[in-house]
C-alpha cells in the first residue's frame, strides 16, 4: 500500500510504502527431547498474520512462549534453541529458520530429519 500526501494539487510531500500483513503458513518442528540434534518432528501447524518473515518469527515465538497465549491443542514444549520453524508461502517457496543463541537463522531443509 502506498500513501501519498499532496499539497497544492501536484506537490508531493511524503510517500510511505508498507507491506500489508499477510497470513503465513507456519509449522513448528522439535526433537523429542530438548537439546537433541536429530529426529525433528512436526509438532504444530498454524497461520500467523505478519508483514515480514522476521515479524512472523517474533509473533510465533511470543505465541508459543507465553503460557496464556499457547493454543490449547499445542502438544510441544516452549520454543527454545534448536527448534525449527517452516514458513510455507506456497508458490513463494518454503523457508526454514532455526532458533540459535543469536536469534532465528535461515537454514536448509536438509536439517529436518
Amino acid at each position: 500500500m502506498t500513501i501519498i500526501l499532496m499539497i497544492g494539487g501536484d506537490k508531493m510531500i511524503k510517500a510511505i510504502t508498507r507491506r500489508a500483513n499477510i497470513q503465513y503458513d507456519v509449522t513448528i518442528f522439535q526433537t523429542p527431547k530438548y537439546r537433541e540434534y536429530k529426529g525433528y518432528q512436526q509438532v504444530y501447524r498454524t497461520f500467523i498474520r505478519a508483514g515480514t518473515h522476521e515479524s512472523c518469527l517474533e509473533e510465533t515465538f511470543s505465541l508459543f512462549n507465553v503460557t496464556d497465549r499457547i493454543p490449547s491443542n499445542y502438544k510441544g514444549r516452549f520454543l527454545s534453541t534448536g527448534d525449527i520453524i517452516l514458513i510455507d508461502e506456497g508458490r513463494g517457496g518454503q523457508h526454514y529458520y532455526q532458533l540459535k543463541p543469536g536469534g532465528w537463522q535461515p537454514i536448509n531443509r536438509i536439517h529436518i530429519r
Side-chain angles (χ1 to χ4, degrees):
M1 173 190 296
T2 301
I3 300 169
I4 301 173
L5 303 172
M6 300 179 77
I7 293 180
D10 64 340
K11 206 175 193 184
M12 185 171 67
I13 295 178
K14 190 174 190 179
I16 302 172
T17 304
R18 67 181 169 95
R19 186 173 177 188
N21 282 351
I22 60 173
Q23 187 167 288
Y24 288 109
D25 182 353
V26 173
T27 305
I28 299 171
F29 293 89
Q30 293 180 329
T31 55
K33 294 181 183 174
Y34 177 64
R35 292 195 179 252
E36 289 184 334
Y37 300 99
K38 293 182 189 175
Y40 282 94
Q41 300 171 354
Q42 177 179 331
V43 294
Y44 199 74
R45 183 176 177 194
T46 189
F47 294 95
I48 303 288
R49 291 194 82 63
T52 64
H53 284 195
E54 290 77 19
S55 60
C56 177
L57 292 166
E58 289 173 14
E59 176 60 24
T60 303
F61 184 83
S62 172
L63 180 64
F64 292 95
N65 276 25
V66 176
T67 305
D68 295 342
R69 297 187 68 201
I70 295 175
S72 60
N73 62 344
Y74 178 66
K75 303 299 181 212
R77 60 180 178 274
F78 288 130
L79 291 182
S80 61
T81 304
D83 292 344
I84 295 173
I85 289 183
L86 161 64
I87 299 176
D88 189 349
E89 294 186 272
R91 291 183 181 169
Q94 295 181 332
H95 308 274
Y96 291 85
Y97 296 90
Q98 186 172 36
L99 186 56
K100 303 217 175 188
W104 292 102
Q105 299 294 318
I107 61 167
N108 294 323
R109 184 185 188 289
I110 195 80
H111 288 93
I112 304 285
R113 300 178 237 183

